[in-house]
Amino acid sequence: MEKQYDYIIVGQGIAGTVLAYTFIKSGKSVLVIDDNTISACSRVAAGNFNPIVFKRLVKSWMADELIPFADTFYRDCEQFLKQEFYWKKEIVKIFAEETEKEFWQTKANDPNLSRYLNTSIETDFFQDIIHNPIGATFVKDAANLFVSKYLADFRNYFSENNLLMDEKFDFEQLILNSENVKYKSVTATKIIFCEGYKVMDNPYFKWIPLKPAKGEVITVRIKNLPTDKIINKGVYMLPIGDDLFIVGTTYDWVNLNDEPTEKARTEIADKLSKVLKVPFEIVDQQAGVRPSVNDRRPLLGLHHEHQTIGIFNGMGTKGVMLSPYFAEHFLTALEGKSNIDNEVNISRFQK
Ligand SMILES: Cc1cc2nc3c(=O)[nH]c(=O)nc-3n(C[C@H](O)[C@H](O)[C@H](O)COP(=O)(O)OP(=O)(O)OC[C@H]3O[C@@H](n4cnc5c(N)ncnc54)[C@H](O)[C@@H]3O)c2cc1C
């Protein structure tokens, strides 16, 4: 029997999931098509978001708008699913050099940054466990989404409500009409592709210049570290319970696959051993490929020839923080109430 939806969404990573819920909230009907064995990117993401770019101590792009939006969005998801997966968490910054501390102190007094940068410096932050001769402080208003739980909870919801096709999307089966699209026994007004870096295999959007970056994280057991803060000193340590921490990350623009490597494991473990005074045990390692774009901006828009197909992608290293705001932005544009901002519109890559 033929089934009709407003939207088909291909891909249930962070981007596709956030977009699907944004549509559902606004009363649209949605079918999600996803084979989650194709790309592990969202499932390996630590899920942190940081309003500050540590190197330059400037605000992350659009932090003032993205963060309150994400806070409301993920809390709403928690209520909708009656689950917990989102927490505000300070990011403790351990200084590696005096000059780094001085730079922070100058920036923390900038009224434009004081909302995020704590001013006081602590000299005794877990001194028995962490090398902290210079001092530590923290970033306010940071947060963490337990991404793998978020995706699994929504997958259950989609599955229980018959809104999920668990399969690899087959482009041969897609029929494009001027008013709708057909895929197997399904008709929809539009289809939106959210396949992460695998959009490089999508015949309609592979012309968009992606610069994917493989990243790896390790999970380690460390005793007696705080479990309510993310700690950063060159690597981040995210507490996930039972003395376990996710530690990352690496960047590799050549080997685009989800295979964990010895090289990355050693790189992260070496950095971690310079931070800790105590031994740690590596219990897991994961890899994924980030759908990054050269200009580090998301990719939103409809295909220039086929207005029934669209894309929501390009979240790079910041899928958790970017997706909620830009899903709403895309929805508003699809409803004809506004235009997609040029900075994130895929039209910026059209010749
Ligand atoms: C090691 C690492 C750490 C990270 N840490 C963070 C972090 O702390 N905070 C943060 O915000 N971001 C982080 N990121 C980045 C974040 O993971 C990405 O921004 C985000 O996952 C991108 O999500 P996506 O939905 O676009 O793509 P994906 O997660 O790749 O999702 C795409 C989905 O589509 C499916 N799919 C693809 N092709 C098809 C097809 N043809 N048919 C059916 N299904 C298909 C895939 O299997 C997958 O389920 C990290 C990334 C890595 C690698």
Side-chain angles (χ1 to χ4, degrees):
M1 214 177 75
E2 281 236 336
K3 288 192 182 157
Q4 290 216 332
Y5 296 88
D6 292 318
Y7 292 97
I8 297 173
I9 291 179
V10 180
Q12 198 236 324
I14 296 171
T17 306
V18 167
L19 189 67
Y21 181 58
T22 301
F23 286 165
I24 289 168
K25 255 193 331 171
S26 79
K28 311 279 182 235
S29 56
V30 169
L31 175 74
V32 176
I33 303 177
D34 179 76
D35 171 352
N36 65 5
T37 62
I38 297 176
S39 162
C41 185
S42 293
R43 272 170 294 126
V44 312
N48 301 332
F49 71 67
N50 184 354
I52 292 296
V53 180
F54 273 142
K55 255 192 193 154
R56 291 176 287 133
L57 289 188
V58 291
K59 266 188 234 176
S60 177
W61 179 63
M62 287 187 64
D64 292 349
E65 293 83 21
L66 299 179
I67 291 178
F69 199 94
D71 282 345
T72 308
F73 179 87
Y74 290 119
R75 284 181 184 134
D76 182 56
C77 293
E78 287 186 323
Q79 281 185 2
F80 179 73
L81 295 175
K82 298 187 176 52
Q83 295 287 338
E84 249 191 291
F85 34 66
Y86 184 70
W87 300 274
K88 292 303 275 188
K89 274 199 169 105
E90 289 168 2
I91 303 179
V92 176
K93 172 75 185 159
I94 314 272
F95 296 114
E97 292 169 22
E98 270 307 325
T99 49
E100 205 181 21
K101 182 169 82 181
E102 286 159 16
F103 187 42
W104 182 288
Q105 284 170 316
T106 315
K107 288 283 197 167
N109 288 316
D110 176 345
N112 197 28
L113 292 171
S114 54
R115 170 173 166 187
Y116 302 119
L117 299 183
N118 181 49
T119 41
S120 60
I121 306 291
E122 278 186 47
T123 46
D124 55 356
F125 182 80
F126 287 85
Q127 281 287 9
D128 44 341
I129 301 173
I130 292 175
H131 288 287
N132 176 23
I134 295 168
T137 188
F138 61 88
V139 176
K140 301 178 268 186
D141 216 8
N144 177 259
L145 177 74
F146 185 176
V147 185
S148 54
K149 179 166 183 353
Y150 178 75
L151 298 181
D153 289 346
F154 262 109
R155 197 172 188 86
N156 285 341
Y157 170 80
F158 296 139
S159 175
E160 281 164 9
N161 290 280
N162 298 318
L163 307 178
L164 179 71
M165 262 191 193
D166 188 347
E167 63 177 48
K168 182 173 182 183
F169 186 81
D170 178 3
F171 285 92
E172 301 277 310
Q173 307 269 349
L174 179 66
I175 301 167
L176 301 178
N177 302 313
S178 56
E179 296 299 316
N180 60 26
V181 298
K182 280 191 198 298
Y183 181 73
K184 298 188 175 174
S185 61
V186 177
T187 305
T189 317
K190 285 190 177 24
I191 182 165
I192 312 289
F193 289 99
C194 310
E195 312 119 299
Y197 87 107
K198 286 290 176 184
V199 70
M200 294 165 96
D201 301 333
N202 182 319
Y204 299 100
F205 291 112
K206 61 182 173 192
W207 52 270
I208 296 178
L210 230 60
K211 198 187 171 196
K214 178 175 178 177
E216 300 192 40
V217 287
I218 57 175
T219 304
V220 299
R221 182 168 285 117
I222 312 168
K223 297 253 186 243
N224 304 321
L225 266 186
T227 54
D228 58 341
K229 298 173 193 338
I230 302 160
I231 299 174
N232 185 295
K233 190 182 181 189
V235 284
Y236 60 75
M237 288 168 259
L238 168 75
I240 56 168
D242 296 331
D243 292 331
L244 295 176
F245 292 77
I246 294 178
V247 184
T249 178
T250 57
Y251 288 84
D252 175 352
W253 292 269
V254 180
N255 303 296
L256 301 179
N257 58 57
D258 293 346
E259 297 305 316
T261 62
E262 189 59 45
K263 184 169 174 273
R265 185 185 174 97
T266 310
E267 182 184 325
I268 302 169
D270 281 355
K271 284 186 185 166
L272 184 61
S273 56
K274 291 194 178 95
V275 179
L276 296 177
K277 292 179 178 170
V278 294
F280 57 89
E281 177 198 355
I282 301 177
V283 298
D284 194 16
Q285 181 178 3
Q286 287 179 301
V289 180
R290 309 169 182 94
S292 301
V293 186
N294 253 336
D295 63 7
R296 296 181 191 177
R297 297 292 176 259
L299 297 166
L300 278 66
L302 297 179
H303 191 272
H304 50 287
E305 283 174 6
H306 308 288
Q307 293 290 296
T308 49
I309 63 177
I311 180 169
F312 185 66
N313 204 321
M315 300 302 159
T317 57
K318 296 192 175 146
V320 175
M321 188 155 121
L322 293 168
S323 298
Y325 180 94
F326 284 104
E328 185 69 31
H329 184 69
F330 198 16
L331 171 68
T332 316
L334 289 167
E335 289 178 331
K337 294 179 190 158
S338 66
N339 293 323
I340 297 175
D341 194 72
N342 288 337
E343 207 173 351
V344 298
N345 198 322
I346 50 164
S347 62
R348 70 192 189 271
F349 294 115
Q350 270 155 27
K351 299 247 160 45

